[in-house]
Amino acid sequence: MDYVSALVPPFAMAAFFIALIVVIVKSQGGANKAKEDAAVDAVLARAEATQQAQAQAQPQK
């Protein structure tokens, strides 16, 4: 029975990994794609604005 206890964790991890991939693939696109893209664009714009503000606040050498 040792072989059963040795094989269960890899099979459980494989099943979890496959389920995770299925969820990721199914969540791509769809009705929320535009909303998700807009949220990512807003975060990137905020980060870029913060970097530019910090660059302007530093004294020029």
Side-chain angles (χ1 to χ4, degrees), residues 12-36:
M13 287 186 290
F16 176 75
F17 183 72
I18 290 170
L20 177 66
I21 297 300
V22 167
V23 168
I24 290 172
V25 169
K26 284 187 175 183
S27 68
Q28 298 299 310
N32 291 329
K33 182 170 178 33
K35 186 168 56 172
E36 292 170 359

